[in-house]
Amino acid sequence: MGIGGPIFVSIGDAVKLNTFLDANPWMPRSQMFVDDYSFDTYKAVGFGRFDEVDKESDAIKNFKMTAPELGFKEWMNYFGVVNKVSPIPKDMKFGEFPEGVLRTGGTFVVQGDDIVYQWTDTIPGNHPVIEDVVTIAKNAAKTPAGKKGSWF
């Protein structure tokens, strides 16, 4: 039983990707990709912008942002890298708001040509329960491609 991923896609360019990967050497380079500032990949899978979300939705009203549990060294690494990897294009003019920071992402579990799980973030920081995604991915890895299994 093997999982062929995970694969990560973020917004940016090659320089920002390499900066991120240099700061996170545990991340396999072969599994990390960037979508450029046209956001074509994000748009193709239906990801939007958090300023386009209905502010009255339950997902927004009930969302509680929490800080990750990082140690002192990890926080220092984060603050040292975050501005270098933020999705802000080089040609951005002072006073402009970068669209990349408005973009939401999501999570997929893919088996062959089938998407067996999809989560679309409503706002940055809103993500699925990681343990649930891992369980779904492990179950998908046990099921032969093309054979549908029950997730409930």
Side-chain angles (χ1 to χ4, degrees):
M1 166 180 66
I3 296 175
I7 304 286
F8 299 91
V9 179
S10 188
I11 298 169
D13 55 41
V15 171
K16 291 176 189 273
L17 174 60
N18 285 322
T19 300
F20 174 83
L21 291 169
D22 290 346
N24 297 281
W26 56 270
M27 170 66 76
R29 288 180 179 267
S30 64
Q31 293 175 229
M32 186 72 194
F33 303 92
V34 288
D35 188 11
D36 65 19
Y37 298 107
S38 68
F39 313 105
D40 288 341
T41 302
Y42 274 51
K43 290 174 186 175
V45 296
F47 297 154
R49 296 166 37 142
F50 76 84
D51 62 336
E52 298 171 342
V53 174
D54 177 11
K55 310 295 186 274
E56 298 302 315
S57 71
D58 287 341
I60 299 296
K61 287 181 178 179
N62 298 327
F63 178 70
K64 304 277 188 270
M65 175 131 353
T66 58
E69 294 181 23
L70 301 177
F72 180 75
K73 184 177 179 183
E74 293 164 317
W75 276 113
M76 296 312 303
N77 182 42
Y78 171 80
F79 287 121
V81 175
V82 70
N83 285 334
K84 297 175 187 171
V85 299
S86 294
I88 301 170
K90 293 177 201 164
D91 60 350
M92 171 122 314
K93 293 176 179 60
F94 182 76
E96 291 181 332
F97 200 79
E99 183 175 350
V101 300
L102 298 173
R103 288 273 158 197
T104 59
T107 304
F108 293 89
V109 175
V110 178
Q111 180 187 37
D113 293 336
D114 297 325
I115 297 172
V116 296
Y117 175 84
Q118 177 179 354
W119 169 281
T120 301
D121 302 345
T122 50
I123 59 176
N126 168 239
H127 52 78
V129 176
I130 300 304
E131 293 81 8
D132 293 349
V133 176
V134 170
T135 299
I136 292 166
K138 285 180 178 178
N139 286 338
K142 292 178 193 175
T143 306
K147 182 177 180 194
K148 305 290 185 204
S150 173
W151 302 112
F152 305 101

